[in-house]
Amino acid sequence: MPSVKTEERHDNAKGLDVMHPALALRLLASGQQAAAKVVDAAIEPISAAASLAAEALASGGRLAYAGAGSSGLMAMADALELPGTYGIPQDQIVVLLAGGTASLSDLAGGYEDDMELAREDVRKAGITAGDCLISVSASGSTPYALAASDEARQRGAKVIAVANNPGAALFKDADVAILLQTPPEVISGSTRMGAGTAQKIAFNMFSTLVGIHLGHVLDGHMVNLRADNIKLHGRAVRIVADITGISASEAGRLINTASGSVKIAILLASGAKDVAAAEAALDQSKQNLRRAIDIVSA
């Protein structure tokens, strides 16, 4: 049986409860920093996972996130940010958190052992061929995560597995396996800490690369956001002005003309004669803004 590093005791944690608070916090901080560094070793599988997910979304499929407990919360946080950050339609993002909304007020542990609940969640979500499911478990052996992956795979979906222990059962038969080999936790077994930190970083990288693949990032700007509140309208103005070189007032006018679409506003500033022409360029470029700019400025 593979060793479960996430359950081992940290070498420097002895006496943690009687340490000076500042020393305890330095130890906790070093644990987080060590956990963050392990993501470097997972660059290639994270890249492969982002390609799988982007392919599914670009083809009209969905991206599902599945997990339990702290790992499930990390997955859910990433999933919920995608529509607002990259304009991915909400109906293309699925969140499967063990226990559902009940877990948002009481993160009870029992749900993570319920394999039939996981299978039922996958079935109810209608996960099928053309979709992509990313399942996460710090130990790599959480029954809910294992069953969700297996059910999705049986239904024809691509499966990405994320775990913090080498040889994790979750990696078996996954299309892409992402190992985040974090050291033992300063608080033994508290995987919301180091393991969760590594998962959060990996998810951030994964979803950002998905957005890049889909053409929703240009020169470090999130160009597929919808300016539907004051903060985002201001951000949209800055993005359009920075990319096109026009004034903030002109950028604001074009954003209004584009009904809040940053991509459309940028294309209008780049030579598109009207909104319809900008939309046609985006369709022709499969929503890739850089290619669409080349089309309207030709």
Side-chain angles (χ1 to χ4, degrees):
M1 181 177 178
S3 62
V4 183
K5 294 291 185 183
T6 50
E7 295 296 324
E8 294 179 2
R9 186 167 69 83
H10 194 285
D11 289 341
N12 296 326
K14 188 175 178 62
L16 176 65
D17 51 302
V18 292
M19 281 184 189
H20 185 282
L23 290 177
L25 288 175
R26 287 193 182 97
L27 180 57
L28 292 171
S30 69
Q32 297 287 284
Q33 292 156 6
K37 289 178 181 177
V38 309
V39 180
D40 287 345
I43 293 293
E44 291 303 321
I46 292 172
S47 176
S51 294
L52 269 188
E55 182 179 350
L57 291 168
S59 300
R62 291 174 299 162
L63 174 60
Y65 290 72
S70 297
S71 293
L73 293 179
M74 293 297 101
M76 182 180 70
D78 197 62
L80 294 180
E81 294 271 20
L82 288 176
T85 305
Y86 297 119
I88 297 172
Q90 289 185 344
D91 61 7
Q92 283 190 274
I93 303 298
V94 177
V95 178
L96 303 178
L97 175 65
T101 55
S103 288
L104 298 180
S105 58
D106 179 13
L107 202 60
Y111 295 120
E112 72 175 46
D113 295 331
D114 196 332
M115 300 184 79
E116 184 50 41
L117 173 64
R119 293 186 184 280
E120 182 64 18
D121 284 349
V122 171
R123 290 192 292 264
K124 282 183 177 178
I127 303 301
T128 188
D131 296 331
C132 180
L133 180 136
I134 180 166
S135 188
V136 58
S137 161
S139 67
S141 60
T142 303
Y144 183 93
L146 290 171
S149 294
D150 184 64
E151 186 68 24
R153 185 168 48 250
Q154 288 187 34
R155 296 170 66 85
K158 297 293 186 181
V159 173
I160 300 162
V162 181
N164 297 78
N165 285 303
L170 191 62
F171 293 151
K172 186 177 183 294
D173 298 326
D175 293 286
V176 177
I178 299 173
L179 171 62
L180 304 172
Q181 195 170 350
T182 45
E185 302 285 357
V186 177
I187 303 297
S188 178
S190 183
T191 53
R192 74 184 185 89
M193 299 179 70
T197 293
Q199 289 168 5
K200 174 62 174 169
I201 294 170
F203 276 128
N204 284 349
M205 293 163 60
F206 161 78
S207 55
T208 299
L209 191 54
V210 169
I212 291 171
H213 283 322
L214 293 174
H216 301 332
V217 175
L218 187 94
D219 293 336
H221 288 301
M222 53 179 86
V223 292
N224 205 43
L225 66 81
R226 284 277 171 177
D228 56 4
N229 65 29
I230 293 172
K231 178 188 76 174
L232 291 179
H233 188 273
R235 181 178 298 164
V237 167
R238 290 190 294 275
I239 291 171
V240 174
D242 184 61
I243 289 175
T244 65
I246 63 177
S247 67
S249 60
E250 177 64 5
R253 184 187 72 78
L254 290 179
I255 289 168
N256 289 334
T257 300
S259 301
S261 168
V262 169
K263 283 186 176 181
I264 296 295
I266 289 171
L267 290 173
L268 290 172
S270 300
K273 65 179 181 180
D274 54 29
V275 170
E279 290 174 341
L282 284 173
D283 288 341
Q284 185 179 340
S285 67
K286 296 183 178 180
Q287 298 302 308
N288 185 290
L289 180 59
R290 190 177 293 278
R291 292 200 297 264
I293 291 173
D294 290 340
I295 292 169
V296 301
S297 60

